[in-house]
Amino acid sequence: MRIGLTGGIGSGKSTVARCLVELGAAHIDTDAISRALTAAGGAAMPAIVAAFGAPAQAPDGALDRAFMRELAFRDPEARKRLESILHPMIGDETRRLEALAAGRPWIVFDVPLLVESGRWRQRVDRVLVVDCDPETQVQRVMARNGWTRDAVLAVLAQQATRAQRRAAADAVIVNEGLALDALAHEVRQVAAHWRPTAS
C-alpha cells in the first residue's frame, strides 16, 4: 500500500512518519530528497545558481535557504522556477527509492505539499493527514527552528488550509495535546484499519 503522508509545518508529520516506520513501512521523505539535492555539491545546485545567480548559493556551496525563502514569498514566479528545477529531480529519486522498497507492505511518501501539488493524490492509495491548530503550529516551529512568528505565518499562508487537507484525507490524526505514546497509538489505529488492504 502506498500512503501519502502530509500535514502543515509543525503539525508533527515527521513523528507520525517515524511511528509508521516502526510498524514496518518504507519511508520516502521528499523534503529530505530536496535537502540532498540542494546541499553543497547537490545535483540541483548548478541549475539553481544558473537561474537565480550567486546569491542563491551560501558560502558553503549549499542553497541559501533564507535568500530563496524570502525571494519565493516576494515573487511567486521565482518559487515556480525553483519548483520546475527541483520537482522533476525529486520525482526521479522518489521513483528510484520506491523501486528499492518493492516487497515492503507499506510505502509512506512523506510529502509536505501533497495537497498543493495536485499530482500526488493519483500516486497513492491512501492519504493520511496530520492536523493541529494553526497557533500550535506557530509555537512549535518558533521553538524548533527559532523563526519569528511572521516567518512561520508566511509559510502557513503558502500552504493548503486545514479544510483543504482534510478534504483530501482518507484519515486524519489530530496531533493536539497528545503525548508521544498517545500519538503512536493513533497511528497504530489507522494502520490496523488499513492493514487488510495492504496485505
Side-chain angles (χ1 to χ4, degrees), residues 74-149:
R74 240 185 17 248
D75 179 4
E77 289 303 314
R79 180 168 55 84
K80 290 178 184 175
R81 286 203 310 277
L82 180 63
E83 289 173 351
S84 73
I85 294 168
L86 288 176
H87 285 182
M89 293 182 172
I90 292 170
D92 288 345
E93 180 64 3
T94 298
R95 285 185 286 275
R96 186 185 74 81
L97 294 173
E98 183 178 0
L100 291 175
R104 298 285 285 275
W106 313 81
I107 302 177
V108 175
F109 296 92
D110 189 335
V111 187
L113 301 181
L114 183 147
V115 174
E116 294 87 334
S117 76
R119 297 185 304 274
W120 274 95
R121 192 60 187 91
Q122 291 71 41
R123 290 193 59 186
V124 297
D125 303 305
R126 299 283 189 276
V127 171
L128 175 58
V129 168
V130 187
D131 182 54
C132 66
D133 185 82
E135 181 58 27
T136 301
Q137 293 177 261
V138 170
Q139 294 301 323
R140 285 175 180 165
V141 177
M142 287 175 65
R144 181 187 72 196
N145 295 9
W147 291 6
T148 64
R149 170 177 287 274

Side-chain angles (χ1 to χ4, degrees), residues 169-181:
D170 294 295
V172 177
I173 291 176
V174 180
N175 184 22
E176 193 73 60
L178 294 180
L180 183 56
D181 57 346

Side-chain angles (χ1 to χ4, degrees), residues 20-105:
L20 287 165
V21 169
E22 289 172 5
L23 295 174
H27 180 214
I28 299 176
D29 184 345
T30 58
D31 248 6
I33 294 170
S34 177
R35 286 193 297 273
L37 289 169
T38 55
M45 286 309 300
I48 290 172
V49 173
F52 299 103
Q57 190 168 35
D60 66 357
L63 177 69
D64 187 323
R65 295 186 182 282
F67 168 84
M68 284 305 308
R69 189 163 52 241
E70 183 182 343
L71 179 61
F73 289 141
R74 240 185 17 248
D75 179 4
E77 289 303 314
R79 180 168 55 84
K80 290 178 184 175
R81 286 203 310 277
L82 180 63
E83 289 173 351
S84 73
I85 294 168
L86 288 176
H87 285 182
M89 293 182 172
I90 292 170
D92 288 345
E93 180 64 3
T94 298
R95 285 185 286 275
R96 186 185 74 81
L97 294 173
E98 183 178 0
L100 291 175
R104 298 285 285 275

